[in-house]
Amino acid sequence: MAATSSPSPSPSQQQLVTFVFGDSLTEVGNNNHLQYSLARSDFPWYGVDFPGGQATGRFTNGRTIGDIISQKLGTESPPPYLSLSKNDDALLKGVNYASGGAGILNETGQYFVHIS
């Protein structure tokens, strides 16, 4: 029995994906899906300079560095991880895991998340 191998995809068949990790500098709306987070960016002034002029979940009035890099790479800015269901195929196309108030120490975000 002869062994067969599947050819690797050609460059035109490959798709570039982006995964973003970070804090409020790169977040695109994950905290807006957290019930107990005080670090939210759904106020009207967030997003006034973003296409559409609406709050987008970004802690900025426009784009984040992740948005800019994605645009330079020719890809869509990845959606917030918490906006997707666990079976969503969009997970395979890149997601943004960033969360405002995130840090490497347990104490970093203690003022932003209150669980009673």
Side-chain angles (χ1 to χ4, degrees):
M1 181 169 182
T4 60
S5 63
S6 59
S8 57
S10 70
S12 63
Q13 293 173 322
Q14 295 177 354
Q15 183 179 1
L16 184 65
V17 298
T18 307
F19 293 92
V20 178
F21 299 89
D23 56 12
S24 59
L25 297 175
T26 53
E27 184 185 341
V28 295
N30 279 308
N31 282 15
N32 291 347
H33 296 276
L34 297 175
Q35 183 177 2
Y36 299 107
S37 177
L38 297 177
R40 299 176 66 91
S41 54
D42 55 356
F43 300 105
W45 53 88
Y46 290 122
V48 296
D49 294 326
F50 196 81
Q54 299 293 316
T56 61
R58 290 159 174 81
F59 283 88
T60 177
N61 62 328
R63 300 180 300 161
T64 67
I65 190 66
D67 296 322
I68 295 167
I69 291 172
S70 292
Q71 180 184 21
K72 295 285 185 189
L73 293 172
T75 65
E76 293 288 323
S77 185
Y81 171 72
L82 293 177
S83 72
L84 305 172
S85 67
K86 66 179 180 176
N87 296 324
D88 196 329
D89 285 343
L91 291 169
L92 303 174
K93 297 177 183 173
V95 292
N96 185 312
Y97 293 102
S99 176
I104 59 172
L105 301 175
N106 288 336
E107 298 82 21
T108 302
Q110 71 182 355
Y111 299 110
F112 300 118
V113 178
H114 294 283
I115 299 174
S116 45

